Amino acid sequence: MMFSEKLIKEMNVQIRHELYSAYLYLSMASHFDAQNLKGFGHWMKVQAKEEMEHGMKFYEYLNSRGAKVNLEAIEQPPLEFGTLVEIFEMVLGHEKSVTDRINLLYSIAVEDKDYASQSFLNWFVDEQVEEEEHAGEILETLKKVGDKGTALFMLDRSLGGRAE
Ligand code: FEO
């Protein structure tokens, strides 16, 4: 089955996007840890780890189809962040941009009639629905509770319980 140069190139680019996502969330984790918002920090570290795993899924898939992985430079993530609401708006916006990337890869695989890649990418299509849903839920909660108070403390505790 055909594995096109175009799709190989875009999957390599995707590794960079996934690793950048890990870097972005780790930078957010560091921001929260520095403010002693340990639950938020934990949630972001788990998120960063998942993004590394996403990158590795592309790495292993490229290998399994006999294509070479070429790692690109990862850009510097922001070091300073705004309010909690702004941070989770950034997370949601970022995940939407990743969804667009997955859709782009999928459309190439459809164009190529590359059924193996479509099957591989199905996992990411489902994952992106979850990613957007989780970020959206936290954002909605934050909009309700604001940046202060007992509700925020409770939310921090609950995010701290996210399984690795
Ligand atoms: Fe790997 Fe959050 O997308």
Side-chain angles (χ1 to χ4, degrees), residues 3 5 13 22 32-33 38 44 50 67 82 132 139 148 156:
F3 194 23
E5 285 306 317
V13 170
F32 288 131
D33 281 337
K38 297 280 184 205
M44 286 295 174
E50 276 194 17
E132 287 189 30
L139 178 59
K148 290 193 174 59
D156 187 58

Side-chain angles (χ1 to χ4, degrees), residues 18 21 25 47 50-51 54 95 98 124 127-128 131:
E18 299 292 348
S21 303
Y25 296 139
Q47 187 72 15
E50 276 194 17
E51 299 299 353
H54 295 172
E95 287 304 330
V98 175
F124 283 90
E127 175 70 7
Q128 283 312 119
E131 293 271 68

Side-chain angles (χ1 to χ4, degrees), residues 31-100:
H31 168 81
F32 288 131
D33 281 337
Q35 290 185 16
N36 221 25
L37 280 169
K38 297 280 184 205
F40 282 92
H42 171 78
W43 192 91
M44 286 295 174
K45 276 179 268 189
V46 174
Q47 187 72 15
K49 214 165 133 189
E50 276 194 17
E51 299 299 353
M52 279 296 300
E53 287 166 12
H54 295 172
M56 286 309 293
K57 276 183 191 282
F58 280 99
Y59 181 107
E60 299 298 358
Y61 180 69
L62 283 160
N63 265 319
S64 74
R65 297 284 309 269
K68 183 174 177 289
V69 169
N70 294 314
L71 297 177
E72 302 181 348
I74 303 167
E75 70 182 273
Q76 160 92 60
L79 301 178
E80 309 279 347
F81 297 93
T83 64
L84 281 165
V85 167
E86 282 165 354
I87 292 172
F88 276 86
E89 276 170 346
M90 191 188 275
V91 172
L92 183 57
H94 182 72
E95 287 304 330
K96 285 183 174 169
S97 76
V98 175
T99 301
D100 289 343

